[in-house]
């Protein structure tokens, strides 16, 4: 049993040198009942762009504040303690920049212990403790109220979450024990495991209240007054708090372990077994069923220390900074002032991809969008899809009826290209064949303004060649989305040698208005994501063609931590598309990329995986296995893995040498946002450095120093 009060936390002082300290200000609030509430307000002195965070100095001050209040409570001077935040923000948890600087596992463990020591003081004040969640609350900002006796939440609070698993950590200040014992195991799994792994989804205030995280929800206009009144009611006995989601004996006996097993299987199937944080969190949630608070807090201390000291946290923080900072300031982007205004959008094509484009543009830009195709029947089918999707958004409450009507009115269809005359932005989504795209643009150019931007969504063709028949090729830019268009956050913006700065700036500004992250790439086969994935798929199919069983190849790729195996990915993108991508890269780089005749045969056959009626993978299809038989030089999983690691390191190094993008960080940003490369790997390049592939391939590393954990 850990006695936190005996631990010397002075070693943590080195982490506080430049900490933005969150201060703990106290004022006494007289209650209507005649009692006194001590109200602690957390405030780091900055505006809303810098949330309250908990570094060592902040925690130590809060701990000292709680100690002083416990003494006052013992003297009968106060009858309750409540903690709240500065306007709109409770706290955003631990200061990630400080976590990244922790030099040893021992200090990492002390940081975990300090959090437990301070936040759990709310249980030993000698009077009831409250937290008034007045706004943003993330990580430790949720564990702070979980350690209190009672919680209220402001109805306008924009985001509440325990995002640690997404970042390669675990909720380490009580969250994995306190939350399931407050709201039940299934609700806790949703908050701690499911939401972080769904692109870091957060809860709204109403969600938190409905789950039982907060005891009361109050409108923001009188939130503090209502919360204080609630606290007074609890003290006087007029407010009764029911914890209807708290687990009972039956849940602990029957449901708890089953829910954990289902979650473990789900995580394994989606992420593989490489990411450490979700499985560490699941172990802690399992222990919370019957372990004591003290035992479970001690388990959190060790788990958090292990993760902070390991490679995956440093890689996660690197990835987090890419997505939060570099993505907001794209390398090589021209001045935004050069961007042309986009007041009307034209979409060439009315198929599924084109219709998704039209829906996204009309929703985000709120300007007229016109689609066209070869005949009216195709146009009408596209319009029906868009209108159905708008209706679906209305039905889910994502948009109002007024907005649904406005969006529907903004979308039109035509077979007459003359209707594109006043479009400022025209994007094509037609068949992936060079001559077709060339002719489509050459045709539409005669109808549109000389200043209108032309964008192509090609995934594998040369953008420069697509514009070969244009009178004004400088207005053409690649604008490569990933499927599904509404969900995937990346756009590769492809600059040809002719693309002018005004066009490139328009593309970057438009991508931002679409709420997408854009990375500028050179006009080269596969750009970034497809070139890297083509290397993965080419090496795996080469191993199959050499006689290696599908299962061995699948096993070889698992340590990369990709969200799905290579054959599942091939089936997702389509076997014919995959074969075409490999052929394209083999034609461009025949000495480094393999074409696969077997993949063409598998594409004709139609599948590689054997799935049940619900689409769950059971294994490999017998017919597919028969098709690829005949190779005479099978490889081991280790041989495949090393070939793939070294091949990726070599290819990415060549991409950087050729200035496909500006830096390794841009490769990683593309792979994280466009291919789901796990945060815990930090993208591709930190992983390749860690396993030695970079040094084997080109005698250096992508990062100096390498992005690794602090070890012991």
């Amino acid at each position: 049993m850990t006695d936190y009060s005996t631990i010397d936390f002075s070693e943590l002082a080195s982490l506080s040198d430049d900490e933005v300290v969150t201060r703990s200000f106290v004022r006494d609030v007289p209650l209507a009942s005649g009692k006194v509430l001590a109200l602690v307000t957390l405030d780091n002195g900055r505006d809303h762009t810098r949330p309250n965070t908990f570094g060592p100095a902040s925690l130590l001050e809060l701990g000292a504040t709680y100690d002083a209040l416990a003494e006052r409570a013992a003297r009968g001077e106060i009858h309750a303690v409540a903690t709240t935040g500065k306007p709109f923000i409770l706290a955003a948890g631990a200061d990630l920049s400080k976590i990244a600087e922790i030099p040893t596992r021992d200090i990492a463990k002390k940081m975990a212990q300090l959090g437990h020591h301070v936040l759990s003081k709310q249980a030993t004040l000698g009077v009831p403790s409250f937290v008034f969640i007045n706004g943003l609350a993330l990580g430790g900002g949720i564990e702070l109220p979980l350690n209190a006796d009672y919680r209220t939440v402001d109805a306008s609070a924009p985001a509440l979450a325990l995002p640690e698993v997404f970042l390669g950590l675990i909720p380490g200040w009580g969250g994995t024990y306190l939350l399931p014992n407050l709201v039940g195991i299934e609700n806790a799994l949703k908050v701690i495991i499911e939401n972080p792994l769904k692109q870091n989804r957060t809860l709204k205030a109403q969600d938190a209240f409905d789950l039982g995280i907060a005891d009361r929800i109050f409108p923001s206009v009188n939130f503090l007054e209502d919360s204080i009144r609630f606290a007074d009611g609890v003290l006087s006995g007029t407010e009764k708090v029911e914890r209807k989601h708290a687990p009972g004996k039956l849940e602990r006996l029957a449901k708890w372990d089953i829910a954990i097993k289902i979650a473990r299987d789900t995580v394994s199937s989606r992420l593989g077994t490489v990411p450490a944080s979700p499985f560490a969190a699941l172990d802690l949630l399992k222990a919370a069923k019957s372990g004591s608070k003290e035992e479970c807090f001690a388990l959190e201390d060790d788990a958090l220390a292990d993760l902070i000291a390991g490679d995956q946290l440093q890689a996660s923080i690197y990835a987090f900074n890419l997505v939060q900072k570099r993505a907001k300031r794209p390398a090589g982007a021209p001045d935004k002032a050069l961007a042309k205004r986009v007041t009307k959008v034209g979409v060439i094509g009315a198929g599924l991809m084109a219709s998704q484009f039209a829906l996204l543009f009309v929703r985000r830009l709120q300007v007229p969008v016109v689609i066209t195709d070869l005949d009216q029947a195709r146009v009408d089918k596209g319009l029906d899809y868009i209108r159905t999707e708008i209706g679906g958004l209305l039905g889910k409450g994502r948009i109002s009826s007024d907005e649904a009507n406005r969006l529907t009115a903004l979308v039109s269809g035509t077979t007459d290209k003359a209707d594109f005359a006043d479009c400022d932005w025209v994007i094509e989504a037609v068949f992936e064949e060079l001559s077709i795209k060339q002719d489509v643009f050459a045709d539409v150019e005669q109808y549109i303004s000389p200043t209108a931007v032309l964008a192509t969504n090609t995934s594998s063709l040369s953008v420069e060649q697509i514009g070969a028949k244009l009178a004004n090729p400088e207005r053409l830019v690649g604008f490569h989305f990933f499927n599904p268009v509404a969900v995937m956050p990346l756009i590769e913006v492809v600059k040809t040698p002719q693309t002018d700065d005004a066009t490139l700036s328009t593309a970057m500004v438009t991508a931002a208005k679409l709420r997408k992250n854009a990375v500028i790439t050179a006009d080269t086969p596969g750009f970034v994501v497809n070139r890297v994935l083509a290397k993965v798929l080419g090496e795996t199919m080469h191993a199959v063609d050499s006689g290696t069983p599908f299962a061995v190849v699948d096993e070889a790729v698992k340590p990369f931590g990709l969200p799905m195996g290579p054959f599942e990915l091939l089936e997702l993108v389509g076997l014919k598309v995959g074969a075409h991508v490999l052929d394209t890269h083999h034609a461009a780089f025949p000495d480094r990329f393999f074409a696969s005749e077997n993949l063409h045969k598998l594409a004709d056959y139609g599948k590689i995986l054997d799935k049940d009626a619900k689409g769950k993978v059971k294994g490999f299809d017998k017919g597919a296995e028969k098709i690829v038989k005949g190779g005479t030089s099978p490889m081991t999983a280790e041989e495949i893995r090393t070939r793939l690691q070294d091949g990726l390191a070599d290819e990415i190094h060549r991409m950087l040498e050729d200035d496909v993008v500006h830096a390794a960080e841009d490769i990683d940003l593309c792979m994280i946002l466009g291919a789901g490369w796990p945060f815990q790997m930090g993208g591709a390049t930190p992983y390749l450095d860690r396993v030695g592939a970079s040094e084997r391939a080109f005698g250096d590393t992508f990062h100096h120093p390498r992005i690794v954990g602090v070890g012991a």
Side-chain angles (χ1 to χ4, degrees):
M1 211 72 67
T2 304
D3 182 355
Y4 293 123
S5 65
T6 65
I7 297 173
D8 179 8
F9 292 112
S10 60
E11 280 185 283
L12 298 176
S14 62
L15 301 177
S16 303
D17 291 345
D18 57 350
E19 178 183 342
V20 177
V21 178
T22 296
R23 306 297 306 278
S24 304
F25 299 101
V26 182
R27 66 183 174 97
D28 287 355
V29 179
L31 302 176
S33 62
K35 300 180 186 298
V36 176
L37 170 81
L39 180 64
V40 180
T41 301
L42 305 175
D43 193 339
N44 63 4
R46 305 292 181 89
D47 65 16
H48 66 281
T49 62
R50 180 64 191 252
N52 296 328
T53 52
F54 294 129
S58 304
L59 285 171
L60 289 168
E61 177 167 327
L62 180 59
T65 298
Y66 284 151
D67 287 342
L69 291 173
E71 292 175 5
R72 293 186 63 204
R75 295 195 296 268
E77 297 172 8
I78 57 173
H79 305 92
V81 172
T83 307
T84 192
K86 67 181 183 180
F88 315 115
I89 292 168
L90 179 60
D95 186 339
L96 270 183
S97 64
K98 294 299 170 192
I99 296 294
E101 294 171 4
I102 290 177
T104 67
R105 185 190 182 280
D106 288 343
I107 291 182
K109 185 171 181 177
K110 285 193 174 179
M111 191 66 191
Q113 292 171 325
L114 178 60
H116 278 131
H117 177 51
V118 171
L119 301 191
S120 64
K121 286 178 182 290
Q122 294 173 94
T124 58
L125 292 168
V127 293
S129 57
F130 300 79
V131 171
F132 304 152
I133 307 170
N134 65 305
L136 178 82
L138 304 175
I142 287 289
E143 288 171 301
L144 171 74
L146 287 177
N147 275 275
D149 297 323
Y150 303 95
R151 292 153 291 280
T152 66
V153 65
D154 187 318
S156 67
L160 299 93
L162 289 170
E164 286 86 353
V165 163
F166 177 74
L167 297 169
L169 296 168
I170 49 99
W173 291 343
T176 64
Y177 173 81
L178 296 169
L179 187 63
N181 282 294
L182 176 68
V183 303
I185 187 59
E186 290 183 338
N187 287 337
L189 285 165
K190 177 183 179 70
V191 177
I192 293 174
I193 304 292
E194 182 183 332
N195 283 356
L197 297 181
K198 285 185 174 178
Q199 294 296 315
N200 212 11
R201 182 177 293 177
T202 60
L203 302 171
K204 298 294 187 185
Q206 189 65 48
D207 301 324
F209 175 68
D210 292 342
L211 288 173
I213 294 174
D215 300 309
R216 296 288 189 273
I217 182 169
F218 296 123
S220 56
V221 63
N222 288 312
F223 173 71
L224 184 58
E225 293 85 347
D226 288 342
S227 295
I228 291 170
R229 195 175 300 113
F230 164 72
D232 197 13
V234 170
L235 295 178
S236 61
T238 59
E239 287 278 2
K240 302 296 183 185
V241 174
E242 294 182 10
R243 304 273 163 75
K244 60 182 180 181
H245 296 291
K249 183 179 289 187
L250 181 61
E251 177 170 336
R252 294 184 192 280
L253 286 174
K255 188 189 291 186
W256 201 292
D257 290 340
I258 294 171
I260 294 287
K261 182 182 185 308
I262 292 171
R264 193 180 297 275
D265 291 344
T266 301
V267 172
S268 297
S269 65
R270 281 189 56 212
L271 301 180
T273 56
V274 173
S277 59
F279 297 103
L282 285 167
D283 288 341
L284 293 165
L285 287 164
K286 182 177 176 66
K289 179 183 79 167
S290 53
S292 70
K293 182 167 124 175
E294 292 77 13
E295 290 167 342
C296 290
F297 279 16
L299 290 173
E300 282 186 347
D301 292 334
D302 281 319
L304 192 57
D306 289 341
L307 290 168
I308 290 173
D311 291 339
Q312 291 189 9
L313 174 68
Q314 296 300 325
S316 293
I317 291 175
Y318 164 78
F320 181 79
N321 286 333
L322 289 183
V323 172
Q324 295 297 315
K325 296 176 182 177
R326 191 175 184 87
K328 307 293 189 291
R329 296 185 289 276
D335 188 339
K336 293 178 183 178
L338 296 174
K340 305 172 186 179
R341 288 187 66 222
V342 175
T343 61
K344 184 178 180 181
V345 171
V347 180
I348 305 174
L352 179 59
M353 184 67 85
S355 299
Q356 289 183 68
F357 290 167
L359 179 64
L360 180 66
F361 276 92
V362 76
R363 278 198 73 196
R364 300 301 186 215
L365 302 188
Q366 302 273 318
V367 300
V369 175
V370 57
I371 65 173
T372 188
D373 215 312
L374 296 173
D375 55 59
Q376 193 62 44
R378 287 185 172 94
V379 171
D380 289 342
K381 185 177 180 181
L383 290 174
D384 286 344
Y385 170 85
I386 296 165
R387 290 163 182 158
T388 300
E389 290 296 304
I390 291 172
L393 293 169
L394 174 62
K396 294 175 183 175
R398 303 274 295 278
I399 58 176
S400 67
S401 58
D402 285 347
E403 186 174 359
N405 291 334
R406 184 168 63 254
L407 294 178
T408 301
L410 285 170
V411 180
S412 61
T414 184
T415 57
D416 184 357
K417 301 289 197 318
D419 291 341
F420 278 49
D422 54 346
C423 289
D424 310 294
W425 175 281
V426 177
I427 185 168
E428 65 78 19
V430 299
F431 189 69
E432 189 78 349
E433 189 170 306
L434 181 60
S435 61
I436 294 176
K437 291 182 186 289
Q438 287 176 333
D439 292 344
V440 158
F441 274 145
D443 177 44
V444 81
E445 190 176 31
Q446 62 187 305
Y447 299 103
I448 62 175
S449 156
T451 60
V453 171
L454 293 172
T456 172
N457 182 52
T458 184
S459 60
S460 61
L461 300 174
S462 164
V463 177
E464 184 178 17
Q465 288 180 27
I466 288 172
K469 296 182 180 180
L470 289 174
N472 301 105
E474 69 280 355
R475 59 151 120 196
L476 176 64
V477 66
F479 208 67
H480 180 217
F481 286 88
F482 293 81
N483 211 10
V485 169
V487 175
M488 297 300 286
L490 178 69
I491 294 176
E492 290 175 326
V493 173
V494 185
K495 178 184 180 182
T496 77
Q498 288 79 35
T499 305
D500 63 26
D501 281 352
T503 297
L504 189 61
S505 178
T506 306
M508 298 302 288
V509 169
T510 300
K513 289 180 178 178
L514 295 175
R515 302 181 194 172
K516 301 292 185 183
N517 298 118
V519 175
I520 296 172
T521 88
D523 185 18
T524 186
F527 314 129
V528 174
V529 174
N530 282 345
R531 184 161 165 183
V532 174
L533 291 180
K535 190 67 181 175
V536 174
L537 298 177
E539 288 290 346
T540 55
M541 282 310 303
H542 174 64
V544 170
D545 296 346
S546 301
T548 313
F550 287 129
V552 174
V553 177
D554 222 29
E555 190 65 31
V557 181
K558 283 184 178 178
F560 287 78
L562 294 169
M564 62 184 71
F567 306 112
E568 195 175 354
L569 176 61
L570 276 169
E571 288 203 354
L572 178 69
V573 302
L575 298 179
K576 290 186 182 295
V577 172
H580 173 69
V581 168
L582 290 193
D583 289 346
T584 300
H585 284 81
H586 176 66
F589 312 110
D591 57 327
R592 304 197 304 277
F593 284 82
F594 294 99
S596 173
E597 192 60 38
N598 273 330
L599 184 53
H600 283 278
K601 293 177 183 177
L602 290 166
D604 291 336
Y605 177 66
K607 62 179 179 177
I608 298 175
L609 301 170
D610 182 25
K611 299 178 181 177
D612 62 20
K614 295 182 178 179
K616 185 177 181 181
V617 176
K618 297 191 296 182
F620 294 97
D621 182 81
K622 299 299 182 187
E625 289 179 327
K626 188 174 180 180
I627 286 170
V628 300
K629 277 189 179 299
T632 57
S633 51
M635 302 181 219
T636 66
E638 187 59 38
E639 287 171 336
I640 297 166
R641 188 155 46 246
T642 301
R643 275 184 63 93
L644 185 49
Q645 290 168 347
D646 293 358
L648 280 174
D650 174 67
E651 198 61 37
I652 291 172
H653 182 249
R654 290 173 185 268
M655 293 165 72
L656 295 173
E657 291 282 293
D658 293 341
D659 204 27
V660 174
V661 290
H662 285 265
E665 287 80 358
D666 297 312
I667 300 276
D668 294 322
L669 185 59
C670 285
M671 297 312 296
I672 290 164
L673 297 178
W677 203 295
F679 256 57
Q680 288 93 337
M681 293 295 180
T685 63
Y687 168 75
L688 296 171
D689 282 352
R690 286 197 303 274
V691 298
S694 307
E695 292 182 354
R696 294 194 299 268
F698 58 90
D700 198 356
T701 56
F702 291 108
H703 300 279
H704 304 88
R706 292 182 307 135
I707 298 168
V708 295
V710 300

